[in-house]
Amino acid sequence: MNPILKIAVLPAMILALSSGAHAAGNHAGGHHGGNVIGEPGNAGNVSRTVEVTMHDNYYEPESIHVQPGETIRFKVKNEGALVHEFNIGTADMHEAHQEEMQMMVEHGVLKGDHIDHDMMNMDMGNGHSMKHDDPNSVLMEPGDSREIIWKFTKATDLEFACNVPGHYQAGMYGDIKIDSTVAAKDRVEGESDSESVQ
Amino acid sequence: MNKGFLIAILAGLMPLQVLAGEYDISVDRVQIDTGDFVKEGIGYNGASPGPVLRFKEGEKVTINVTNNLDEMTSIHWHGLILPFEQDGVPGISFPGIKPGETFTYKFPIVQNGTYWFHSHSGFQEPNGAYGAIVIEPEGREPFRYDREYVVQLTDKHPHSGDRIMRNLKMSADYYNRQQQTVGDFFSESAEKGFMATLMDRMMWGDMRMMKADIEDVQGFTGLMNGKGPEQNWTGLFKPGERVRLRFINSSAMTYFDIRIPGLEMTVVQADGNNVQPVNVDEFRIGVAETYDVIVHIKDEEAYTIFAESMGRSGYARGTLAPEEGMTAEVPELREAPLLTMADMAGHMDHGDMKHDDMNGDNMAGMDHSDMGGNDEMDHSAMGHGSMDHGDDASLPEDPFYAKGSGLVPTASNGGKFLSYSDLKAQKPLYEDREPTREIELRLTGNMERYEWSINGIKYEDADPIVLQYGERVRFKFVNETMMTHPMHLHGMWSILEVGEGKWNPLKHVISVAPATTVYMETEVDAPGEWAFHCHLSYHAASGMFRKIVVEGGPDSTVAEGKQSGKQGGES
């Protein structure tokens, strides 16, 4: 009785997840010219590397300055004991994604300190799976290191965020400030991008 | 080796950086104005609630408490880990503080988070002797927020604690205003049939309990930071800010269901310990518990903080607003829940009534002792599941309530209501290990005589519970009464069994609902003598209380060093 119930429930979830991926794909693909968050970058265009460390539940640094058009390599390491996400998006995008992540928790794909990969990669037919593979985000278990190369386009209200339920609300987010003057100033002063926030 | 050397140097330097704060607290007669009535009570530094004490983790505090009353007093630092002589329980930790005397507490602050302090003498705490403690961590908080408020709740009654105790002893339902009436009887008969209703009433009568007996003491005014609903405590914010609210339930007797209509709350701490954050619409705070939540307020509007008593007989209310004077709608009290047969199952198990009155044969089989040694929190295995209660199928299940319980809370907006099962430690303090032994504590009582006890024995007749330093004890609470009991162990953490192994959360109060069995484990790491009791003031005072004696201790040389203050290279 239980397995049948699960199978009945899963497709609904996959639809929700894939629609999320589709939306992100649109932003990332940049086919519509009006993409707000930027797009996946080429390794050859990387101007600098920003290292981001995940803790339970916050990032170091908590603020990054970038210039419009700049391509950045994010080296992300999870030094916490819980699963965390690094996701580039607007606050609204994060909010929408949090509902999907909540579903992953409710369906047992996402546990506090690990991911059920078998369940996540299960082929449900129709080309759908529960893979968390949007190009603007990585979902990482404790100890994982991953990279994202991202090209920022124009100024907008961007944040990098962890959308594991509760983490964003507790404060696991960082500001991405796209501002040529600020970025230039940073470079001159050679200061760290991190800002201390309570 | 290098590392060891470095640590040695750091240890040598540390004492130079140790913070030492000195605080003065006076215990005074004060006036308490709830908006509904003005009452003489007891407060600290001239007010009730007393001050918010702000400590820093690692600080060594000296607190001079001057007793300006004409009776003995004491201050217990609720939830703080400290030497037992500093714990402030008269007759266990120290003799108490005489009128006119100043007692100096000295202890290191070894934790962080939201706690509180209160008198442990007589009914001074219900009479107003309480305040808040906020401890800033040594490192950074794993949160981001723009401002914070302590939100301390209490159930202020127009009667003094002594008078309430006398009245309860005289008639246990003295303060129960929601007794069912003859009118209720006939309307229920129309719905369920005359015989069924009559049978139901007769059974409840046999148990000397009322279906509506969720709160022993009604008729209070709920206070938020000392202000009644009309006085409307207000916390200001700027739109876009994240606000941390440190909820503390300092009530004598009242559990509150808390919500902020229009805002989702993220629970980040319970009883001073960080938990993996949980987004909720509403949560229940037991007597003496604390919960920290973060809310993100995006617009320029006022929001009501609504704390409704579990039995719906009263509420505390305050407001979060962008400017003074702005208010939001105050919700109506919801209908009072009624206890169900499930809530009395534990009570019935022990022969106070005839089982053959019941419509099923499974009641007699509800032997909680079958649960011994079972690590799972599977209450559905306890047999409640086979009780047919008819109309409760729609209620969400919560393993911390009897199945079919009338007490299972639901969020007013149909959303998420926090359960104990949602609480997981953010960062485990102890390694998970098997307990060395299990101690069963049956929570017992006789409602008619208003006697409350543990394993059927009142405090004055009971031997202390003896624990050995270094062991890990598993406590099994079996609630055989129809009241919810917030059990508070002093001096050591209560590790609540939620079935998550090392992620089980640390608490200082474990709430045990009627007819449920709840487990907690304790690492016995604090020598000395400690109190362990139900935190409902009138239950503790009438016998639901034990002394805990921890025998042995860390090796004697270390212990000596500690006592004479020579530890850790201090000079």
Side-chain angles (χ1 to χ4, degrees), chain A residues 56 62 95 169-170 173 198, chain B residues 140 143-144 242 266 298:
Chain A
D56 302 324
E62 289 187 322
E95 204 166 303
Q169 287 81 356
Y173 64 93
Q198 179 159 32
Chain B
R140 64 156 285 166
F143 316 124
R144 288 178 75 175
R242 289 167 166 88
T266 301
K298 292 169 187 166

Side-chain angles (χ1 to χ4, degrees), chain B residues 421-452:
Chain B
S421 337
D422 297 317
L423 299 178
K424 288 173 211 148
Q426 169 79 4
K427 197 175 172 189
L429 181 65
Y430 298 106
E431 295 221 352
D432 193 31
R433 61 166 176 147
E434 281 299 307
T436 47
R437 62 181 166 131
E438 180 175 292
I439 296 175
E440 180 173 296
L441 300 176
R442 292 182 295 111
L443 309 180
T444 45
N446 180 309
M447 191 69 187
E448 192 179 37
R449 291 198 295 271
Y450 209 79
E451 284 176 355
W452 299 96

